Amino acid sequence: MPPPPNLPPLPPPPPFFWGDTPEHQFYTSQNIRHSSSHFQTPHATIFTQSWLPLSPTQPIKATVFMTHGYGSDSSWCFQKICIAFAQWGYAVFAADLIGHGRSDGLHGYIGDMDKAAATSLCYFCSVRKSDEYKDLPAFLFGESMGGAITMLMYLQSEVNMWSGLMLSSPLFVLPQAMVPSKLHLTMYGLLFGLADTWAAMPENRMVAKAIKDVEKLKIIAVNPKRYTGKPRVGTMREVVRVTTYLQNNFHKVTAPFFVAHGTSDGLACHSGSEMLYEKAATPAEDKTLKLYEGMYHSLIQGEPDDCVALVLADMKAWIDEKAQKFGPQSNGN
């Protein structure tokens, strides 16, 4: 989404969110190893990345598979989360969603979220089941719309495939101001799919409710691979369908989970996270809901540093405890 209109003119983007430092030099300075590649699935070719502790002899606590949000990708500020987990001793893997970043598809278009979930899941499972990682605990992590798609992945997966779920500001309930008009969706639907890819849906500029720190907003806004057009018809149709579907299927969730949400989130209602917590069949001792008073949508990339540190500390405490509790273990095959 484009930045609020009151932002000053933005400078040309640097090569990376951290500036001009070469990738290898930057990752080494963060004590991690990084790699990227393209992965062929039955649906599309997707761009994938990994972040691991710098020392190849350091024991890996667990694997974490991360999914970014709408219009974003895994290569800009989202990887701040990936880097943090790798620094804690986890092997982290991420993929750009279909229609996002460097993956196949029309930019900003997800006309079938079940397919999008299955595509990323294909890559995640190939790593999860590999000889190197099959005996370690494995967690799915999703942010914003990526949280909804992560939940779809979980529901598509084999029983006991995942040791737990971690969700940051998941999109389970749309704010009323962002719910697309049924009239618009019906009118476009009458065009027999011809309008599905149109960037024609009304846009409520609520990014100011996503990023609290203005300096961080400036960095996010110059991401060269961020989708900045109006929402595409099919993407919004799927958001409406999938959020309703997930609300009706939260009772099927039995895995441990951690969900973090700001109470001033203007892009994804925290009531959706509360609904998951209430309806999930996960044992009470294995589910955690953290509501952060006054925080906006982007908890790691967009809040002041002290708030970011608080959220990351809560995430680390939860995954460290669960990784120790559940691993090493097989994936149930």
Side-chain angles (χ1 to χ4, degrees):
M1 296 180 182
N6 59 342
L7 265 186
L10 297 170
F16 312 104
F17 81 88
W18 60 79
D20 299 319
T21 305
E23 280 187 286
H24 176 75
Q25 186 176 334
F26 171 75
Y27 291 124
T28 300
S29 75
Q30 301 299 303
N31 291 314
I32 58 171
R33 289 175 286 145
H34 171 263
S35 67
S36 64
S37 64
H38 284 83
F39 185 84
Q40 181 66 52
T41 79
H43 304 297
T45 300
I46 55 175
F47 178 72
T48 69
Q49 299 192 79
S50 70
W51 300 259
L52 290 88
L54 184 61
S55 171
T57 60
Q58 180 176 338
I60 300 297
K61 298 177 182 179
T63 51
V64 186
F65 300 89
M66 298 198 171
T67 302
H68 62 80
Y70 169 75
S72 182
D73 69 321
S74 63
S75 296
W76 203 250
C77 290
F78 179 76
Q79 66 174 306
K80 289 183 177 181
I81 309 172
C82 307
I83 290 169
F85 276 69
Q87 290 171 333
W88 301 338
Y90 294 90
V92 181
F93 303 87
D96 288 354
L97 290 167
I98 289 177
H100 288 70
R102 284 177 267 186
S103 290
D104 285 353
L106 178 64
H107 203 193
Y109 177 64
I110 299 183
D112 183 342
M113 282 197 184
D114 294 313
K115 176 181 172 182
T119 302
S120 293
L121 185 61
C122 183
Y123 166 63
F124 291 166
C125 286
S126 73
V127 178
R128 169 72 177 110
K129 295 181 177 182
S130 66
D131 288 342
E132 187 172 4
Y133 298 115
K134 65 183 181 180
D135 294 329
L136 289 176
F139 298 85
L140 290 175
F141 183 108
E143 180 181 61
S144 190
M145 186 184 75
I149 292 176
T150 293
M151 189 60 72
L152 288 178
M153 289 187 218
Y154 169 74
L155 294 172
Q156 291 176 7
S157 294
E158 303 166 20
V159 176
N160 297 324
M161 173 67 75
W162 307 108
S163 308
L165 309 172
M166 300 190 75
L167 305 165
S168 178
S169 308
L171 180 57
F172 295 149
V173 174
L174 273 169
Q176 193 57 43
M178 294 184 63
V179 175
S181 138
K182 290 183 180 179
L183 176 62
H184 276 121
L185 290 176
T186 301
M187 286 172 57
Y188 288 129
L190 293 174
L191 296 176
F192 303 102
L194 294 175
D196 212 51
T197 60
W198 291 1
M201 297 303 290
E203 180 181 37
N204 294 292
R205 295 196 170 195
M206 301 182 74
V207 173
K209 277 293 184 183
I211 313 295
K212 182 180 287 185
D213 188 307
V214 175
E215 293 304 311
K216 293 179 179 180
L217 174 56
K218 292 177 184 177
I219 296 171
I220 290 171
V222 297
N223 178 357
K225 293 185 172 57
R226 189 172 57 93
Y227 177 68
T228 59
K230 288 186 177 182
R232 298 189 187 275
V233 173
T235 304
M236 290 308 295
R237 169 183 46 75
E238 279 295 276
V239 166
V240 172
R241 180 187 71 82
V242 167
T243 51
T244 301
Y245 168 79
L246 292 176
Q247 292 167 27
N248 292 331
N249 285 274
F250 282 154
H251 65 279
K252 296 180 181 177
V253 176
T254 59
F257 65 81
F258 173 98
V259 58
H261 220 127
T263 61
S264 295
D265 188 334
L267 299 182
C269 295
H270 62 81
S271 60
S273 293
E274 293 172 294
M275 192 185 305
L276 168 65
Y277 184 83
E278 292 164 4
K279 291 187 175 182
T282 303
E285 65 271 18
D286 284 332
K287 56 183 178 180
T288 298
L289 170 64
K290 291 283 188 178
L291 295 178
Y292 298 97
E293 189 64 34
M295 290 196 197
Y296 289 9
H297 184 64
S298 187
L299 297 175
I300 308 301
Q301 299 99 298
E303 289 288 321
D305 290 347
D306 57 338
C307 296
V308 174
L310 172 63
V311 176
L312 287 175
D314 287 341
M315 290 181 174
K316 183 179 187 300
W318 188 88
I319 195 171
D320 281 351
E321 192 269 327
K322 297 306 178 191
Q324 186 173 22
K325 177 178 179 180
F326 294 113
Q329 62 183 31
S330 73
N331 61 15
N333 289 342

